[in-house]
Amino acid sequence: MARPTSATSSNAKTQGAKPTGGKPKAVPPIEINSELLAHTHVSKAWPFEEARKVLSRIKRIPQPTGPIIFETGYGPSGLPHIGTFGEIARTTMVRHAFRVLTEDKVPTRLICFSDDMDGLRKVPDNIPNKEMVREHLGKPLTQVPDPFGEHKSFGHHNNARLKAFLDTFGFDYEFLSATECYTSGRFDSTLLKVLEHYDAIRDVILPTLGPERRATYSPFLPISPSTGQVLQVPIIDRDLASGAIVYKDPGTGKLTQVPVTRGHCKLQWKADWAMRWAALGVDYEMAGKDLIDSVRLSGHICRILGRQQPEGFNYELFLDENGEKISKSRGNGLTIEEWLAYASPESLALYMYQSPRKAKRLYFDVIPRAVDEYIGHLAAYPKEEQAAKLMNPVWHVHSGAPPEAELPISFALLLNLASASNSEDREVLWGFIRRYAPDATPKGHPLLDELVGYAIRYFHDFVKPAKQYRAPTGKERAALLDLDARLGVLPKKVLAEEIQAEVYAVGKEHGFEPLRDWFQALYQVLLGQTQGPRFGSFVELYGVPETRALIQQALK
């Protein structure tokens, strides 16, 4: 559990209301030895590179009493997508690396902050009851009715969806709601600083705006007392003594005065981001590449408010199957639940770890490879030296303690077993597995049994509907007859490598150039798909007689 700060501290990190929302888990102590510690200070794994930036920060900038604050931000304008989870997973990896670097002597907290006081700008595509929601456009998300009828508001619904998954995964975090922070008074003292430095903050933002927007821009967005909408209106006057602003009501034309505190106003988002950094004392927050300019501007405003902007880096965006940026409101790309229907949370965390500064497609077809890469890294970990272990993604996925797991076959092979047998029966797949690994059982290999379930689901939803068998060409027919004959004379307990050697030999002798054309033909003709795992491994697992039967069926 995150360590509480002193109740008597005047630091912004300890001011205001107690954190609400997701309750932090009990964080186990970290076992650190001198060899591990030496490697962490030079490791090129990106979480350690980021953690060293935070370590340098606390040496460079005098820190008040209190923990180091790691933060992630979430805009609940639509249902959570995996990009949201990715930011939290990656930040958790940096936080853990920092704990190791500092021998766990510096307390830390991870805040997951929801911008749920933002006005709803458009109706998301992927929700029910769109007309009902449309009537509340412009209102804070926590004032828009839940179209699913499950929660107090649309904002509460989306917050609950995110927290439910984070809790399932086991993250240690504190969930903060913008609505609660604004209305409880937690942000009041910093909001008054924004009012005090109103002109300086405008001077930061105005050069980035067009002429029309520049004429009306204000960092403060009043919440209309009559309509409940978040208003983008010019500010006519400011009263520092009472902490209030004056604007002309767009509906009535009357001058209206509201305090900037206690949720009567919220801030434009760049100023809002900076205010949050200052109010919560945030030390680290990463952001997408599309927010590079926003990070710079918010950092400038944060310094105006008397704080240094957080450390962090800009990660690349996730793309859908068409190469377009995934969006919560559009619902393109994958949801968290969709990934977890076909693969483990750990495989998802691995996908987030890999190459965070490169744009990556985030669609169903990336799942099998992510699962097998996770299995491969897990298998390699026990044999590696300490320095290599710190570079292994599973060290970061599992916060330094990857589990032991014996996985005799890959996820891709399981998928091809299901495909070749056209079976969605767990017992059928386990029958093949026991032929390959006689001692394997669902009870003794729970992770493997979990993969069997994922493979059946993935096969049913994606592989089976997309199967497209084709007849072999004359050249391919001759090669398949040759392969069938060679398989027929192999010994009973033949190994995958020996089978693979025969498959290679057939491809070469029948003039397939490049040789991958021969393997592609095998998968298209025998399995109705364009690719698969090593064919020798598949035959060993599926069985030589069964493979010959596939060939005979294809030749007919």
Side-chain angles (χ1 to χ4, degrees):
M1 182 172 293
R3 306 177 194 183
T5 55
S6 168
T8 59
S9 171
S10 61
N11 173 23
K13 295 181 183 181
T14 63
Q15 289 179 354
K18 192 175 181 180
T20 57
K23 295 180 180 179
K25 290 183 55 182
V27 181
I30 297 176
E31 293 185 12
I32 301 171
N33 56 54
S34 57
E35 181 189 7
L36 172 67
L37 194 61
H39 288 299
T40 62
H41 285 279
V42 294
S43 176
K44 292 184 179 180
W46 69 261
F48 279 114
E49 292 178 338
E50 292 301 297
R52 288 195 290 267
K53 285 160 58 174
V54 182
L55 185 60
S56 174
R57 172 190 178 88
I58 63 176
K59 292 177 180 177
R60 185 177 73 252
I61 303 172
Q63 291 288 315
T65 304
I68 297 299
I69 303 296
F70 294 82
E71 185 187 53
T72 66
Y74 165 58
S77 57
L79 305 182
H81 61 56
I82 291 180
T84 308
F85 162 72
E87 188 172 315
I88 299 169
R90 289 166 172 167
T91 305
T92 295
M93 294 172 189
V94 177
R95 180 192 182 192
H96 175 257
F98 177 82
R99 291 180 62 203
V100 173
L101 276 174
T102 57
E103 301 179 67
D104 215 14
K105 294 176 181 178
V106 179
T108 63
R109 289 166 55 199
L110 171 59
I111 291 173
C112 179
F113 191 93
S114 172
D115 289 306
D116 57 18
M117 203 168 167
D118 287 353
L120 181 66
R121 290 178 293 175
K122 63 179 183 178
V123 179
D125 296 330
N126 55 343
I127 63 168
N129 297 312
K130 293 184 177 66
E131 290 306 314
M132 178 192 73
V133 171
R134 188 169 286 110
E135 294 175 7
H136 297 273
L137 285 174
K139 292 182 180 179
L141 292 159
T142 45
Q143 298 302 315
V144 176
D146 179 13
F148 297 88
E150 298 171 357
H151 294 273
K152 182 180 176 182
S153 73
F154 189 35
H156 286 87
H157 177 94
N158 291 334
N159 288 343
R161 287 281 298 273
L162 179 67
K163 288 190 287 184
F165 177 72
L166 298 181
D167 292 340
T168 300
F169 192 82
F171 285 111
D172 167 54
Y173 71 100
E174 297 172 49
F175 192 87
L176 291 187
S177 155
T179 299
E180 293 178 7
C181 286
Y182 270 100
T183 58
S184 69
R186 182 167 190 163
F187 286 162
D188 281 0
S189 61
T190 313
L191 288 167
L192 291 172
K193 281 187 180 180
V194 173
L195 186 63
E196 179 185 350
H197 298 285
Y198 183 92
D199 290 327
I201 292 171
R202 269 174 50 90
D203 288 344
V204 171
I205 300 297
L206 291 184
T208 69
L209 304 175
E212 288 187 20
R213 189 71 189 91
R214 196 180 302 145
T216 61
Y217 175 82
S218 164
F220 287 101
L221 301 175
I223 310 296
S224 172
S226 56
T227 67
Q229 293 180 320
V230 181
L231 302 177
Q232 293 203 32
V233 292
I235 300 305
I236 307 300
D237 197 10
R238 307 188 304 275
D239 186 348
L240 293 177
S242 63
I245 56 173
V246 178
Y247 68 95
K248 182 183 289 187
D249 188 287
T252 64
K254 294 181 180 179
L255 292 181
T256 305
Q257 178 170 308
V258 294
V260 299
T261 53
R262 295 284 168 171
H264 294 283
C265 293
K266 73 172 299 295
L267 295 181
Q268 290 272 9
W269 87 271
K270 293 185 182 70
D272 184 90
W273 204 6
M275 180 276 297
R276 184 203 314 165
W277 288 343
L280 301 177
V282 178
D283 296 290
Y284 186 89
E285 180 166 3
M286 59 180 66
K289 187 178 179 181
D290 56 336
L291 298 180
I292 289 176
D293 287 340
S294 299
V295 170
R296 178 179 56 81
L297 295 170
S298 295
H300 192 168
I301 295 172
C302 188
R303 290 189 293 275
I304 291 172
L305 297 176
R307 292 279 305 182
Q308 287 295 315
Q309 75 181 85
E311 305 300 318
F313 79 95
N314 295 101
Y315 54 82
E316 263 289 2
L317 305 178
F318 288 111
L319 310 174
D320 67 10
E321 61 178 331
N322 300 315
E324 298 178 357
K325 175 186 170 184
I326 60 174
S327 161
K328 292 186 292 295
S329 59
R330 288 175 58 199
N332 58 333
L334 287 174
T335 66
I336 293 166
E337 291 86 354
E338 285 170 334
W339 183 290
L340 294 184
Y342 307 107
S344 67
E346 292 79 12
S347 65
L348 175 56
L350 171 72
Y351 195 72
M352 297 303 162
Y353 174 87
Q354 295 169 319
S355 306
R357 291 182 175 89
K358 290 183 180 178
K360 294 188 291 186
R361 287 178 72 256
L362 191 53
Y363 203 64
F364 293 103
D365 56 3
V366 307
I367 293 177
R369 182 175 178 181
V371 173
D372 276 337
E373 287 179 343
Y374 170 72
I375 293 170
H377 289 304
L378 203 60
Y381 183 82
K383 309 164 193 172
E384 294 175 329
E385 299 294 330
Q386 186 65 68
K389 285 183 175 180
L390 297 183
M391 291 295 293
N392 189 321
V394 296
W395 190 92
H396 300 275
V397 167
H398 292 283
S399 296
E404 294 182 8
E406 184 182 347
L407 291 164
I409 64 174
S410 69
F411 189 61
L413 267 175
L414 285 175
L415 284 175
N416 280 279
L417 276 179
S419 183
S421 61
N422 274 300
S423 175
E424 298 173 38
D425 187 328
R426 297 177 81 100
E427 284 304 311
V428 170
L429 263 63
W430 267 105
F432 288 116
I433 293 169
R434 276 190 287 269
R435 177 187 295 170
Y436 180 77
D439 297 330
T441 64
K443 186 176 180 181
H445 295 73
L447 181 55
L448 180 55
D449 191 46
E450 188 178 85
L451 289 180
V452 169
Y454 288 137
I456 289 172
R457 233 173 278 134
Y458 194 91
F459 166 72
H460 178 271
D461 291 348
F462 297 105
V463 179
K464 191 175 180 179
K467 273 178 170 286
Q468 288 188 336
Y469 293 92
R470 67 170 176 82
T473 64
K475 179 180 178 180
E476 292 165 351
R477 174 176 288 274
L480 284 168
L481 283 168
D482 189 4
L483 178 61
D484 178 51
R486 295 187 188 216
L487 290 176
V489 297
L490 290 175
K492 282 189 176 181
K493 293 188 177 180
V494 63
L495 298 177
E497 290 304 317
E498 298 173 66
I499 300 170
Q500 189 76 0
E502 292 294 339
V503 179
Y504 266 107
V506 170
K508 289 180 180 178
E509 290 177 21
H510 286 265
F512 285 91
E513 184 62 39
L515 202 56
R516 66 173 175 269
D517 289 349
W518 165 231
F519 287 97
Q520 189 173 59
L522 287 172
Y523 288 112
Q524 289 174 343
V525 171
L526 301 183
L527 299 180
Q529 55 198 61
T530 57
Q531 56 187 356
R534 283 175 62 84
F535 197 75
S537 299
F538 166 73
V539 175
E540 182 185 26
L541 185 59
Y542 187 56
V544 170
E546 288 80 1
T547 304
R548 295 188 69 197
L550 281 181
I551 294 174
Q552 291 301 322
Q553 185 179 356
L555 292 175
K556 289 178 184 177

